[in-house]
Amino acid sequence: MLTTIERIVFVVLALTSVGFTIHGIKTIVDSVRKGRSAPEVKNIPASLVKAGIAVLFQRTIFRTRKILSTIHLGLFFGLITYAFVNLVDILEGFIPGFDLVYGGKHPAFPFLNSGIINTFNLIADVMSGALLFSVTVFLVRRFIVKDKQLTYRENILLNPKVKAGGQNKDSLIVGTFVILHVAARLMGQAFRLTDGADAFTPIASFLNGIFGASQTGVHVAWWVSLCWVLYILPYITRSKHTHFTVGPVNLGLAKQNPRGQLDPAVPAGVRATRTSPIPEPGAKFLHDLSWKRILDSYACVQCNRCQEVCPANFYGRPLSPSALEVNKRYLIKEATFGSHPERLLLPLTETVISAEAVWACTTCHACVSICPVGNEPMADIIDIRRRLIIDGAEIDSGVQNALQSLATNGNWMNKGKRLRGRWAKELEFPVKNASEEQVDYLWFVGDTASFDERVVPNTKIVARIFNEAGLDFGIMYQNESNAGNDVRRVGEEGLFEQLVEQNMGAFGKAQFKKIVTTDPHSFNTLKNEYPQFGGKFDVTHYTSVLVKLFDEGKLTVKNKLSNYQVTFHDPCYLGRYNGEFTAPRKLLEMVGVKFNEMPRNCETSFCCGAGGGQIWNGKVAPGERPAENRIKEALTTFDKNPSDKKLLFIVTCPKDMIMYSDAVKTTGKEGKIEVRDLIQLIAEAVGLEMPLEAEAVASAA
Amino acid sequence: MNIVVAIKHIPSIADDLPVKGNNVDFDSVDFVLNEFDEQSIEQAVLVKEATGGTVTVVGVDMIGELDGVLHLALAKGADKAVKITGDDPAADSHQQAKWLAEAIKGMSPNIVFAGVQASNDLDGQIGPMIAAHLDMPYIGGVSSVEVAGDTATVNKEFAGGFGAKYAVSLPMVVGVQASTKPPRYAPISKVRQVAQTATIEKVAPSGESSARLTMKKMAPPVVTGHAEMFTGSSKEVAAKIVDLLKSKGLA
């Protein structure tokens, strides 16, 4: 089809385009390789295939926004189709007489019968329509409807180029490309239809009906269509649309260790130097991040699903996980394609995320869990915290007090070690000291459940239930220290290690078969992180132990609690982190309450706002707190299922008990809804007899 | 400039304080750094950062566990650590002041910091007595210190929210109420690294205090009844308060 001159021009243009594209790819690869090491990705081919399948079925985007995700299908399958369409178009240009319309055959391709060609034509034609439709919807969403999901709040740190609309420019360029490219290709097909409509290209045939056939038209359309491709290929490597290719790869290289196990603070290969006698943990500058965190920024297309589920963002704090990713990419872009390499030498807290945002993260994992391309913005934040702590940055006074108390007392409440087991001594029966005598279950109680007077009544009920069921259990009294889950997530790795050593010492002296915890945070780190320090234990949460006790008939429901209507809040560190969704719900079913699920449940449960050290904060930010919003969510859920039963908000985490009891008060919902630990329902259902004083305290709590 | 910080290791009140005979049961209590000394260490490091010099932290080792505290001070920016091997948990502030002054004398200090008081005796005497032993001026209740040449400008706090600025010529002893900035956090990795590499100088106690206190009796405070909480509307509560005041003959 093409003349010789046309061919030469095209080949020159194509080589130029490929050259710029390779340069773009090389820049990305170089930037990623400059990152520090990450935990080894095992069996890469298999994980890439697995990720490829997930991408092919577009599974990960359907975690939320079902309608927009459906429209994304048009873009995804449309662009895949067009990769083939473009190849065929080039063949049409370069092989004389090769023309696909009317199921055309060509001697050079004997295996392409008209059945195959017609099928291809139909797919290409229909997908052209799908592409035009979906890209139009997305452009309308961004530029006309101005969907808030695609914007960042004023207080969030943004690269100046992003603030000036860099992403909108990207979207406009690529959106225009898709529309003009697809339109040109469709017109080209229409101009080829010299004998009228082709049943297998309905859209092109329709256009042919209007514009007719034209040999000049074929040439013009071919050039417009393919020149766009030559322009867009290198452009993609310099825009957020690296997402097209890096997204699936990143998903394939995503974290393989348990969600609840943080990557090491000091990556393998980083050593002490004369200037820093302590090997530098975490990240101050961009290339202190692991290569995976840098790759994340190229996978991200700023769909902002993460921002939407972020409790800190909801609370009005200046945190957006997606802004963090786009800022990283722009920082590299400015250093490589732009003229600001010096900005790479600025701390990340000035270039990608404000220090205030760094300290606002609750480490709830919602952003990581929702991300369709396997990004871990939370890991960046924890790495930045780690370096801030070691560099002696100013930290919130409440957090500092908690850390200091943890260092001296092993708990964050400034209580003496010897007071840790005091609650147990106030019970009607002795609680074994696991440090002195053998037990089946070593109960790791945790700070809040041991010391906080709002939670201690529930701790005592757990002990009474265990005792009632004849469970052989004990606690470590003053030998237990805080497990360190939140200490580690605040970034104080040294203190975390100290606490692990103290607990490992205590475990070493104790005799037990399993560990049971009442605190999901302790549960998480004992289960997922202690093994890295040699502590390989069988760790369970008390809800699973209770299910077992019921199954074995050691506990029986004597009173059905049909007078209660309840909802259940999945604690982040039990649910999203460790996948335990069923045990609490099974228990609720057993005790016979009316149960309503909140819209955000299980994997998408909404954080109470306490994790990652937030509960220690001295300063309380203004605005509606996540816990308050959650109480409203529960009440709305109950409103949709009206009854005259007593409304209960059920928790299985000591921190939740505090956060939500408080939120009920601050939202003025006292008397409407009551926060209770699941153990209180169990006690009532099994008819546990409690001393009068204890009952009074429990119902007042 | 030689900056010295005199610190005190005192029984922790995070636990219930155990009593044995007529004193604290020192065998079953943890010792911690006096809270005001955290402020004075911070103030000393801030002065060093502003003017240069070395910070030496010195304290009496009451129960043989002072190293941890000294390591913490070094991690926060102190340069030298000295412990006086007193090994007498009952040593009072008079005795400690004498030992500290004897140890500090040889350090030719330009400025000595001490916490304004400690929660175990609350007598606020360590600073003034060190000053007396060293024949230096003392200023207490201080909430910020700036040094320029031979003179220090200090803020001293008075009751009722009043404060005054003093210019004091060096050398002098300062009783720190609060440092200019809140004490910094020392990351544990740093403290542990210091613990592995730092050397702590040991000094034998010298000098007998002429005025040791004699403890006659010590007992935990007697708990007498609980507070009564009034409930009801604000009017009802107000009425109850008025009734109570009347019944006590106060209204």
Side-chain angles (χ1 to χ4, degrees):
Chain A
M1 179 195 97
L2 295 180
T3 63
T4 314
I5 293 180
E6 278 181 315
R7 286 175 192 214
I8 294 170
V9 172
F10 185 79
V11 169
V12 170
L13 287 177
L15 287 176
T16 315
S17 169
V18 168
F20 278 108
T21 309
I22 289 175
H23 173 244
I25 294 170
K26 187 177 174 298
T27 311
I28 294 173
V29 172
D30 287 348
S31 300
V32 171
R33 285 170 64 109
K34 272 190 204 150
R36 305 217 284 191
S37 67
E40 188 200 354
V41 187
K42 291 182 188 112
N43 205 351
I44 294 178
S47 351
L48 285 176
V49 168
K50 216 175 126 196
I53 294 169
V55 170
L56 197 61
F57 290 96
Q58 295 281 284
R59 269 189 217 133
T60 57
I61 56 169
F62 277 94
R63 287 170 187 154
T64 176
R65 301 186 188 167
K66 310 283 178 204
I67 295 172
L68 286 168
S69 298
T70 309
I71 295 168
H72 184 270
L73 293 180
L75 272 186
F76 174 75
F77 289 110
L79 288 174
I80 287 186
T81 309
Y82 257 68
F84 292 100
V85 166
N86 294 152
L87 281 177
V88 171
D89 285 356
I90 292 170
L91 292 179
E92 278 184 336
F94 279 78
I95 296 167
F98 183 49
D99 203 346
L100 288 189
V101 288
Y102 305 128
K105 271 186 75 100
H106 191 273
F109 305 103
F111 52 90
L112 290 178
N113 59 35
S114 49
I116 291 177
I117 288 179
N118 282 334
T119 311
F120 177 79
N121 281 344
L122 185 63
I123 292 174
D125 194 84
V126 170
M127 288 324 291
S128 302
L131 257 178
L132 287 176
F133 171 74
S134 50
V135 88
T136 308
V137 171
F138 283 152
L139 288 174
V140 166
R141 172 179 177 230
R142 182 177 288 271
F143 293 103
I144 296 171
V145 180
K146 295 195 165 82
D147 192 337
K148 277 211 175 121
Q149 283 176 342
L150 296 172
T151 61
Y152 298 111
R153 230 189 1 249
E154 272 300 308
N155 61 352
I156 291 164
L157 176 75
L158 284 182
N159 181 290
K161 289 237 166 103
V162 179
K163 206 158 204 173
Q167 297 165 85
N168 279 352
K169 197 183 95 193
D170 274 359
S171 291
L172 195 61
I173 288 176
V174 173
T176 313
F177 153 74
V178 170
I179 289 176
L180 294 183
H181 170 62
V182 172
R185 205 276 169 175
L186 274 175
M187 284 307 294
Q189 291 305 95
F191 287 138
R192 284 171 199 268
L193 295 174
T194 44
D195 298 333
D198 175 346
F200 292 97
T201 58
I203 301 175
S205 300
F206 170 75
L207 292 171
N208 176 263
I210 300 170
F211 299 102
S214 154
Q215 201 48 42
T216 319
V218 170
H219 276 257
V220 173
W222 192 92
W223 275 101
V224 171
S225 161
L226 285 169
C227 275
W228 263 116
V229 174
L230 299 185
Y231 166 72
I232 214 74
L233 285 178
Y235 181 80
I236 284 174
T237 62
R238 290 147 173 87
S239 74
K240 66 174 176 159
H241 298 93
T242 46
H243 160 77
F244 294 166
T245 45
V246 181
V249 173
N250 200 56
L251 190 62
L253 300 175
K255 182 172 182 145
Q256 294 175 332
N257 290 328
R259 286 179 173 183
Q261 185 188 99
L262 289 181
D263 289 351
V266 180
V270 175
R271 289 181 214 302
T273 61
R274 197 178 298 164
T275 46
S276 60
I278 302 167
E280 289 180 322
K284 181 173 186 180
F285 306 108
L286 185 91
H287 290 116
D288 291 334
L289 292 169
S290 82
W291 64 268
K292 277 196 178 185
R293 301 289 75 81
I294 298 173
L295 191 65
D296 282 351
S297 69
Y298 291 103
C300 177
V301 76
Q302 292 93 57
C303 68
N304 293 0
R305 281 168 168 78
C306 50
Q307 173 176 294
E308 208 174 41
V309 296
C310 172
N313 187 279
F314 165 82
Y315 189 6
R317 309 296 305 275
L319 172 59
S320 162
S322 131
L324 163 75
E325 298 298 348
V326 66
N327 286 338
K328 280 189 314 196
R329 188 171 54 74
Y330 267 84
L331 184 64
I332 305 171
K333 193 177 162 185
E334 286 179 345
T336 49
F337 299 117
S339 53
H340 291 296
E342 80 285 355
R343 287 198 189 147
L344 282 176
L345 302 175
L346 292 174
L348 291 166
T349 46
E350 286 171 33
T351 50
V352 309
I353 180 171
S354 69
E356 193 189 343
V358 166
W359 293 115
C361 174
T362 69
T363 70
C364 73
H365 203 272
C367 60
V368 184
S369 296
I370 200 87
C371 182
V373 292
N375 282 355
E376 288 184 67
M378 191 188 88
D380 297 53
I381 292 173
I382 291 171
D383 267 340
I384 296 171
R385 287 179 174 182
R386 285 164 160 172
R387 185 67 73 84
L388 284 174
I389 290 271
I390 206 82
D391 285 349
E394 206 174 311
I395 49 178
D396 176 274
S397 61
V399 174
Q400 181 166 339
N401 287 340
L403 294 178
Q404 260 155 3
S405 172
L406 282 156
T408 40
N409 306 311
N411 65 70
W412 57 273
M413 291 160 161
N414 263 315
K415 294 278 168 67
K417 284 182 186 150
R418 291 175 192 85
L419 302 179
R420 198 173 190 96
R422 174 174 279 185
W423 64 268
K425 291 179 180 149
E426 294 163 1
L427 288 167
E428 316 75 66
F429 51 91
V431 174
K432 279 188 183 176
N433 186 339
S435 305
E436 288 164 6
E437 51 186 319
Q438 180 158 359
V439 293
D440 285 347
Y441 282 89
L442 186 154
W443 177 9
F444 194 95
V445 188
D447 287 3
T448 312
S450 297
F451 293 111
D452 194 297
E453 59 189 19
R454 293 164 288 184
V455 183
V456 163
N458 293 336
T459 311
K460 289 181 180 170
I461 300 176
V462 174
R464 291 189 180 104
I465 294 280
F466 283 174
N467 186 55
E468 178 92 358
L471 192 78
D472 180 24
F473 75 100
I475 63 174
M476 297 198 293
Y477 290 90
Q478 71 265 32
N479 292 339
E480 179 186 303
S481 300
N482 182 294
N485 189 69
D486 299 271
V487 172
R488 192 172 206 202
R489 278 145 188 87
V490 158
E492 216 322 11
E493 190 73 8
L495 180 55
F496 171 68
E497 283 167 15
Q498 180 175 308
L499 293 168
V500 172
E501 279 168 30
Q502 286 167 7
N503 280 318
M504 287 297 290
F507 290 142
K509 282 180 205 141
Q511 286 181 296
F512 58 95
K513 290 176 186 158
K514 288 180 179 187
I515 295 177
V516 57
T517 71
T518 27
D519 169 30
H521 295 244
S522 307
F523 172 67
N524 181 65
T525 191
L526 290 172
K527 180 169 185 257
N528 297 312
E529 298 185 317
Y530 275 52
Q532 291 175 303
F533 297 84
K536 288 178 184 147
F537 309 112
D538 185 349
V539 190
T540 53
H541 188 245
Y542 76 101
T543 48
S544 320
V545 173
L546 290 174
V547 169
K548 193 165 164 268
L549 292 172
F550 276 109
D551 287 348
E552 289 168 356
K554 289 177 179 159
L555 287 175
T556 44
V557 174
K558 290 184 189 135
N559 316 309
K560 285 274 180 190
L561 309 179
S562 52
N563 50 329
Y564 295 140
Q565 186 173 1
V566 315
T567 190
F568 173 67
H569 166 75
D570 290 279
C572 306
Y573 280 98
L574 182 65
R576 192 158 39 238
Y577 270 103
N578 290 295
E580 179 56 276
F581 304 118
T582 49
R585 286 176 175 76
K586 209 168 165 186
L587 290 169
L588 287 173
E589 200 189 318
M590 281 182 199
V591 299
V593 293
K594 183 173 184 226
F595 176 67
N596 295 128
E597 197 76 85
M598 284 185 279
R600 292 178 289 186
N601 61 68
C602 297
E603 185 76 9
T604 57
S605 175
F606 192 56
C607 174
C608 74
Q614 296 301 312
I615 201 168
W616 301 330
N617 270 347
K619 275 187 233 136
V620 178
E624 190 189 352
R625 289 181 288 151
E628 293 171 338
N629 182 258
R630 191 71 163 149
I631 291 296
K632 287 185 190 163
E633 183 180 356
L635 284 169
T636 314
T637 307
F638 289 138
D639 281 347
K640 285 183 190 152
N641 305 278
S643 76
D644 52 2
K645 295 174 194 288
K646 186 168 174 55
L647 304 179
L648 299 180
F649 188 94
I650 300 301
V651 297
T652 54
C653 167
K655 286 190 182 73
D656 282 335
M657 194 70 206
I658 293 173
M659 298 300 285
Y660 290 117
S661 305
D662 197 39
V664 166
K665 284 186 196 132
T666 52
T667 49
K669 304 294 180 196
E670 284 163 299
K672 282 193 183 141
I673 187 168
E674 197 182 307
V675 180
R676 285 197 197 169
D677 194 288
L678 183 53
I679 199 67
Q680 293 174 270
L681 293 188
I682 302 293
E684 207 177 328
V686 301
L688 182 78
E689 280 179 33
M690 282 194 282
L692 275 177
E693 191 195 357
E695 267 177 18
V697 176
S699 63
Chain B
M1 194 166 68
N2 289 331
I3 305 161
V4 174
V5 189
I7 59 164
K8 238 181 133 182
H9 211 202
I10 61 170
S12 164
I13 47 168
D15 274 321
D16 297 341
L17 201 64
V19 175
K20 193 174 164 186
N22 54 7
N23 210 334
V24 174
D25 179 4
F26 294 109
D27 291 332
S28 49
V29 69
D30 293 327
F31 270 65
V32 292
L33 178 65
N34 169 32
E35 213 180 312
F36 288 100
D37 294 347
E38 284 179 33
Q39 306 283 334
S40 74
I41 291 171
E42 180 65 28
Q43 188 62 66
V45 174
L46 288 173
V47 168
K48 180 190 92 167
E49 284 170 352
T51 61
T54 54
V55 173
T56 307
V57 178
V58 53
V60 178
D61 198 359
M62 309 290 277
I63 54 161
E65 290 177 7
L66 192 66
D67 287 11
V69 169
L70 293 173
H71 290 149
L72 191 68
L74 290 170
K76 287 185 174 194
D79 305 283
K80 272 193 247 168
V82 178
K83 64 176 175 189
I84 300 165
T85 51
D87 213 14
D88 172 10
D92 62 15
S93 55
H94 296 249
Q95 181 60 67
Q96 287 194 50
K98 181 70 184 163
W99 286 340
L100 286 163
E102 287 300 320
I104 294 169
K105 228 176 237 173
M107 299 175 186
S108 47
N110 300 92
I111 186 164
V112 178
F113 289 100
V116 71
Q117 62 180 19
S119 64
N120 62 339
D121 51 30
L122 291 175
D123 67 358
Q125 290 300 301
I126 289 255
M129 286 189 290
I130 291 175
H133 288 309
L134 297 177
D135 197 18
M136 285 184 191
Y138 173 81
I139 184 162
V142 166
S143 61
S144 86
V145 180
E146 270 176 56
V147 176
D150 290 342
T151 314
T153 312
V154 301
N155 271 327
K156 180 176 164 66
E157 289 187 359
F158 288 97
F162 291 101
K165 215 174 231 183
Y166 289 81
V168 191
S169 48
L170 302 181
M172 65 159 179
V173 179
V174 184
V176 179
Q177 172 100 12
S179 47
T180 317
K181 282 205 284 185
R184 65 196 69 193
Y185 178 73
I188 298 300
S189 318
K190 220 171 223 175
V191 179
R192 291 180 142 197
Q193 198 255 338
V194 165
Q196 281 168 11
T197 54
T199 45
I200 291 169
E201 193 187 326
K202 279 192 216 170
V203 177
S206 87
E208 200 59 33
S209 163
S210 51
R212 282 192 85 145
L213 295 172
T214 318
M215 201 82 75
K216 285 196 168 161
K217 191 184 171 211
M218 178 174 276
V222 183
V223 181
T224 53
H226 294 283
E228 187 191 341
M229 303 298 286
F230 292 140
T231 52
S233 72
S234 51
K235 271 193 176 169
E236 287 162 7
V237 172
K240 284 178 193 167
I241 293 174
V242 171
D243 285 348
L244 180 77
L245 292 175
K246 275 185 183 160
S247 73
K248 302 276 178 192
L250 295 165

